[in-house]
């Protein structure tokens, strides 16, 4: 049994093995590897794709699903997060947890008798999103090595970006950072990435020479927009792509998109963000198999 709290829990070989396993599930959409198991999703924050694709993945591997909702639970009576998790782990075989506080999944792992998968903890990490991002890049390009990946938007509060960067340390990929000053990548992460970051810019159009552009929305729920002087000026449109990007540039986004990619990009060959979201199901099937110990890597 394996928990997945940080993307740093996986090495290069394990990441690639999980991508190969996801590719098998892409071809074979249903299996019985988790027959008899119960997967519980405990989301203390809103989610559409992550929760639904985990629940779909669980059902497609033969598991049963229990959905915990904070609003109708004993949290309302004052029960602690730890007690909730301790109890939940005796009712299910795998816990999938999303929480607004950094470190919540690690805290859950410490008291859980079942493996815990971090489905996003505050602005810290979102490792399963990263796994489907990497799988999407591999599907599109054959390999991550040798690619240039630009990350754009809210690099300060975006947990998907933080996990993706940590994962890219395992690969020979070049990184471009594009963010308005107030949403720049935290210094400690930047330091950790070292010379893999080839340059940093405050202008979106200067990031478009990459092979992949990873757009993100401003994480308004994690700060006071007034206090940080938030500007809505990081918008990707088709005219901008046609003017500045190479034809082969592919645009990724963890979604939800708010207004940072205009809808005219959707029908263009640059768009792979909806395919990326669909890849969440086969990848999360592989991750559930990894967590339950039926897939060894
Ligand atoms: C991301 C998240 O929750 O961090 N969404 C997702 O899981 N697909 C990104 C976001 O909310 O902006």
């Amino acid at each position: 049994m394996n928990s997945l709290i940080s993307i740093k829990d996986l090495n290069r070989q394990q990441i690639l093995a999980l991508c190969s396993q996801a590719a098998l599930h892409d071809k074979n959409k249903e299996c019985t590897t988790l027959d008899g198991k119960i997967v519980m999703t405990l989301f203390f924050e809103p989610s559409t794709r992550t929760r639904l694709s985990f629940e779909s993945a669980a059902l497609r591997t033969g598991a049963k699903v229990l959905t915990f909702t904070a609003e109708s639970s004993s949290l309302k009576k004052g029960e602690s997060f730890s007690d909730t998790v301790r109890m939940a782990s005796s009712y299910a075989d795998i816990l999938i947890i999303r929480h607004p506080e950094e470190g919540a999944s690690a805290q859950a792992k410490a008291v859980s008798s079942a493996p815990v998968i971090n489905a996003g903890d505050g602005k810290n990490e979102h490792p399963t999103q990263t796994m489907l991002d990497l799988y999407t890049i591999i599907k599109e390009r054959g390999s991550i090595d040798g690619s240039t990946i630009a990350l754009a938007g809210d690099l300060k509060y975006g947990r998907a970006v933080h996990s993706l960067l940590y994962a890219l340390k395992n690969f020979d990929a070049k990184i471009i950072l594009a963010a308005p000053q107030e949403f720049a990548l935290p210094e400690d992460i930047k330091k950790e990435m070292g010379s893999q970051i080839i340059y940093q810019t405050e202008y979106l159009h200067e990031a478009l020479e990459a092979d992949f552009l990873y757009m993100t929305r401003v994480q308004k729920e994690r700060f006071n927009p007034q206090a940080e002087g938030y500007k809505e000026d990081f918008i990707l449109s088709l005219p901008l792509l046609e003017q500045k990007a190479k034809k082969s540039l592919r645009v990724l986004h963890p979604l939800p998109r708010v207004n940072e990619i205009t809808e005219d990009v959707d029908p263009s060959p640059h768009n792979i963000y909806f395919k990326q979201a669909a890849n969440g199901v086969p990848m999360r099937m592989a991750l559930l198999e990894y967590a339950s110990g039926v897939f060894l890597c």
Side-chain angles (χ1 to χ4, degrees), residues 251-273:
V251 180
L252 295 153
H253 193 307
L255 304 178
R257 152 180 64 182
V258 184
N259 56 2
E260 58 284 345
I261 303 178
T262 55
E263 286 184 10
D264 56 356
V265 181
D266 296 359
S268 83
H270 294 292
N271 164 15
I272 58 166
Y273 33 90

Side-chain angles (χ1 to χ4, degrees), residues 134-190:
L134 297 176
Y135 177 50
T136 304
I137 292 173
I138 289 175
K139 263 177 94 170
E140 196 62 26
R141 194 180 169 274
S143 96
I144 302 161
D145 292 319
S147 63
T148 302
I149 303 171
L151 288 89
D154 183 351
L155 308 185
K156 183 173 179 182
Y157 299 99
R159 56 193 174 198
V161 161
H162 300 161
S163 287
L164 180 55
L165 282 167
Y166 294 140
L168 288 174
K169 283 175 64 185
N170 293 291
F171 298 91
D172 174 24
K174 295 192 177 83
I175 294 158
I176 299 169
L177 302 178
Q181 213 175 8
E182 59 272 37
F183 297 109
L185 187 70
E187 271 310 309
D188 55 329
I189 306 181
K190 206 176 131 195

Side-chain angles (χ1 to χ4, degrees), residues 224-245:
N224 171 356
Q226 252 81 49
E228 302 244 354
Y230 163 59
K231 296 194 280 314
E232 297 197 16
D233 59 356
F234 241 65
I235 293 175
L236 186 72
S237 65
L238 191 60
L240 179 61
L241 280 166
E242 284 172 347
Q243 244 183 328
K244 300 275 182 192

Side-chain angles (χ1 to χ4, degrees), residues 201-220:
T201 169
E202 287 179 30
Y203 303 99
L204 182 57
H205 68 86
E206 289 182 357
L208 302 182
E209 63 175 79
D211 301 308
F212 294 94
L213 173 65
Y214 195 90
M215 286 295 291
T216 59
R217 87 184 156 90
V218 172
Q219 308 280 300
K220 279 187 185 172

